[in-house]
């Protein structure tokens, strides 16, 4: 029997565009390119595109929107790769969906989980012209309610790290997870040690060693999952090594390179599995990296604190509650069911050819301001935290068009809370000064 190998790439960038102009400000740290999207597209997305049809992959909807407008050849190559994989793998495409924004879903209320998943599915359907079978969870962050929302939306499977379940099934096979509400979804677990050695080296630099590890693993299915940016951006030349691995595997009669959906069709789960929840692939403390000073850092050697994380989360949680109240109050007479109207909204092409509805745009930015990158790194003064605060400022401005509480009151409340989020840089001060100097100005 052939051993199956699935290599998954999670391709994603935060929404870098200015919420007022729709253009990306100059990001000098990405030099010699204008911004990080441009740089990573040249280093990774374009070079890896020829390999995509042989992978399992997801692209964040906000990244696909940028590629569509700024790198149309690469965008077309992504869509073409999925079409090739549909033909190659008996109707099962290699692309899977992702929630629209890269938010940590266990930290979101169910209503926001539902919108993010529905927007992600609608975006996938429009771009790939088919229904998604699987969905990648940002940071693989998961809890029971998140999986119930996926199952209710018709998603067949997702992918987790091995430490996110109580007991991994034998031979790499998928298992059923049954939610508290009575739904079920298939879970695949990627191989932790191999995935780690691809993401952080040395395998991403050595095609022969990588191939040997894959073929030696004693499993019916060997799955690897990493950030897609591993191939060419995080590791120069990683795209070339990936292509060589795929070529070497294709030449073996005892190996089958495929995607998760095709494997699931032939090997439906035979046993149930229990979650460790909430959990994620990049924080051993669950999901604390996105709300607390848990000790997870990008550069531990720099000794930077993350006491800003909890106040930033609290500030945006408070603002979101106020914004949602405005939306519900003003949206009821306009939409009847404002939350159903939000679920049906297209954040890329809002109401063509009409101007976007300001209430629904308010909600788009209220969701976008929870993009996970805002908490992932080591200091609030990083560009990623500025990105989430831009969305907060735009949402406040949109709320100001409606009756009280009004923009001034909302901004005052946000600033009071951001003042409790200290930067590691004395020249920055706190989140309050960051907002006033780098967002408002």
């Amino acid at each position: 029997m052939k051993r199956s190998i699935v290599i998954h790439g999670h391709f994603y960038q935060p929404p870098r565009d200015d919420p007022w102009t729709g253009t990306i400000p100059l990001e000098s740290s990405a030099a010699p390119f204008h911004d990080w999207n441009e740089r990573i597209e040249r280093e990774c997305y374009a070079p890896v595109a020829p390999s995509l049809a042989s992978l399992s992959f997801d692209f964040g909807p906000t990244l696909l929107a940028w590629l569509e407008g700024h790198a149309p050849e690469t965008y077309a190559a992504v869509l073409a790769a999925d079409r090739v994989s549909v033909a190659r793998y008996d109707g099962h495409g290699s692309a899977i969906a992702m929630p629209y924004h890269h938010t940590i879903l266990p930290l979101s209320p169910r209503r926001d989980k539902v919108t993010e998943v529905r927007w992600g599915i609608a975006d996938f359907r429009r771009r790939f012209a088919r229904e998604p079978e699987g969905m990648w969870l940002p940071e693989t962050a998961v809890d029971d309610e998140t999986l119930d929302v996926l199952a209710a939306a018709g998603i067949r499977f997702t992918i987790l790290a091995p430490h996110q379940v109580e007991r991994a099934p034998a031979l790499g096979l998928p298992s059923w997870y049954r939610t508290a509400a009575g739904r079920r979804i298939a879970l695949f677990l990627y191989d932790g040690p191999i995935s780690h050695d691809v993401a952080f080296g040395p395998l991403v630099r050595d095609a022969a060693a990588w191939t040997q590890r894959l073929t030696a693993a004693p499993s019916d299915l060997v799955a690897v999952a990493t950030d897609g940016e591993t191939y060419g951006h995080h590791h120069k030349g990683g795209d070339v090594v990936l292509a060589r691995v795929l070529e070497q595997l294709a030449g073996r009669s005892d190996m089958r390179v495929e995607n998760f959906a095709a494997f699931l069709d032939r090997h439906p789960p035979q046993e149930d599995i229990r979650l460790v929840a909430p959990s994620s692939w990049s924080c051993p403390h669950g999901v604390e990296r996105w709300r607390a000073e848990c000790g997870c850092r990008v550069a531990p050697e720099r000794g930077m604190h993350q006491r800003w994380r909890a106040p930033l989360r609290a500030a945006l949680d408070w603002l979101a509650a106020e914004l949602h109240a405005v939306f519900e109050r003003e949206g009821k007479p306009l939409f009847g069911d404002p939350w159903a109207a939000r679920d049906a909204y297209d954040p890329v092409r809002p109401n063509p050819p009409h101007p976007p509805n300001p209430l629904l745009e308010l909600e788009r930015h209220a969701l976008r301001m929870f993009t996970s990158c805002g908490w992932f790194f080591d200091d609030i003064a990083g560009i990623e935290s500025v990105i989430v605060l831009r969305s907060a400022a735009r949402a406040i401005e949109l709320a100001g068009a409606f009756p009280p509480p009004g923009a001034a009151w909302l901004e005052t409340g946000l600033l009071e809370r951001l003042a409790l989020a200290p930067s590691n840089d004395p020249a920055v001060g706190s989140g309050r000064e960051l907002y006033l100097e780098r967002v408002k100005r």
Side-chain angles (χ1 to χ4, degrees):
M1 188 170 118
K2 286 188 177 183
R3 175 176 299 158
S4 291
I5 294 175
V6 178
I7 300 174
H8 183 86
H10 164 54
F11 297 88
Y12 168 73
Q13 289 301 307
R16 300 182 181 278
D17 55 289
D18 183 293
W20 292 271
T21 68
T23 61
I24 299 180
L26 177 67
E27 296 177 345
S28 57
S29 57
F33 296 89
H34 176 272
D35 56 74
W36 283 101
N37 280 8
E38 283 191 1
R39 177 169 172 173
I40 299 171
E41 192 274 332
R42 289 292 91 197
E43 294 176 344
C44 173
Y45 305 139
V48 86
S51 298
L52 287 178
S54 299
L55 302 183
S56 168
F57 65 87
D58 72 280
F59 273 77
T62 55
L63 174 57
L64 285 175
W66 182 86
L67 288 172
E68 184 179 19
H70 296 85
E73 290 184 3
T74 300
Y75 176 73
V78 172
L79 303 190
D82 183 66
R83 291 194 297 271
V84 170
S85 68
V86 168
R88 180 181 295 173
Y89 301 123
D90 298 323
H92 299 287
S94 289
I96 66 173
M98 196 195 88
Y100 191 82
H101 296 108
H102 203 275
T103 57
I104 303 303
L105 291 186
L107 297 180
S108 301
R110 185 181 183 105
R111 189 170 60 197
D112 291 355
K113 289 183 176 76
V114 168
T115 299
E116 290 288 1
V117 168
R118 289 186 179 179
W119 282 8
I121 290 173
D123 191 82
F124 184 96
R125 185 187 299 125
R126 179 173 66 79
R127 298 183 189 281
F128 293 96
R130 63 178 181 86
E131 294 297 319
E133 297 188 70
M135 177 168 277
W136 178 266
L137 293 172
E139 302 290 340
T140 72
V142 72
D143 62 0
D144 178 84
E145 186 176 74
T146 297
L147 292 180
D148 192 63
V149 168
L150 264 59
I155 297 298
R156 296 179 62 205
F157 70 88
T158 191
I159 307 143
L160 299 180
H163 66 261
Q164 294 183 267
V165 299
E166 290 188 1
R167 181 181 60 84
L171 304 177
L173 298 173
S175 299
W176 289 122
Y177 176 75
R178 300 180 189 274
T179 72
R183 298 182 177 91
R184 73 178 187 179
I185 184 172
L187 300 184
F188 285 95
L189 305 180
Y190 63 77
D191 185 295
I194 297 178
S195 297
H196 177 276
D197 289 349
V198 172
F200 301 103
L203 297 185
V204 74
R205 298 185 290 272
D206 188 334
W210 184 358
T211 303
Q212 194 278 329
R213 286 280 296 277
L214 291 173
T215 56
S219 298
D220 290 347
L221 169 64
V222 183
V224 172
T226 69
D227 285 337
E229 292 77 15
T230 298
Y231 309 114
H233 173 56
H234 297 324
H235 297 279
K236 186 176 181 180
D239 56 301
V240 176
V241 174
L242 172 64
R244 288 175 181 163
V245 169
L246 293 171
E247 182 181 12
Q248 292 173 13
L249 293 172
R252 296 187 53 136
S253 60
D254 59 337
M255 296 291 151
R256 185 201 310 264
V257 177
E258 61 178 330
N259 60 44
F260 288 112
F263 187 91
L264 183 62
D265 193 46
R266 298 195 319 277
H267 303 283
Q270 300 298 311
E271 60 181 281
D272 291 353
I273 202 168
R274 295 171 64 91
L275 280 183
V276 174
S279 62
S280 64
W281 75 343
S282 53
C283 178
H285 316 99
V287 293
E288 298 307 298
R289 186 168 193 156
W290 298 276
R291 65 178 176 185
E293 187 179 24
C294 65
C296 289
R297 292 171 287 181
V298 172
E301 69 279 3
R302 297 180 64 189
M304 300 171 77
H305 70 75
Q306 286 75 52
R307 293 193 296 274
W308 53 272
R309 281 181 178 155
L312 177 61
R313 171 67 61 174
L316 295 186
D317 279 342
W318 171 84
L319 178 60
E322 296 295 330
L323 294 170
H324 292 334
V326 172
F327 174 70
E328 187 166 40
R329 185 189 70 224
E330 300 298 320
K332 277 185 177 178
L334 187 62
F335 305 122
D337 184 343
W339 304 109
R342 186 180 76 167
D343 288 343
Y345 191 55
D346 184 343
V348 177
R349 293 176 172 83
N351 293 305
H354 308 292
N357 180 283
L359 273 175
L360 292 167
E361 280 294 284
L362 179 156
E363 281 296 304
R364 179 167 75 92
H365 287 287
L367 294 172
R368 179 168 132 153
M369 69 188 185
F370 287 104
T371 299
S372 67
C373 315
W375 288 264
F376 186 86
F377 295 94
D378 293 354
D379 192 55
I380 194 173
I383 190 172
E384 296 81 10
S385 299
V386 171
I387 286 172
V388 302
L389 290 175
R390 283 185 196 143
S391 288
R394 177 61 175 145
I396 288 172
E397 182 180 63
L398 289 164
F402 301 97
W409 185 85
L410 289 172
E411 189 166 81
T412 297
L414 178 66
L415 289 172
E416 288 176 354
R417 290 161 175 82
L418 289 177
L420 304 176
S423 170
N424 286 273
D425 185 351
V428 174
S430 71
R432 182 182 188 279
E433 289 74 34
L434 183 71
Y435 180 94
L436 292 172
E437 293 297 322
R438 293 181 58 186
V439 175
K440 279 302 290 289
R441 179 170 293 186

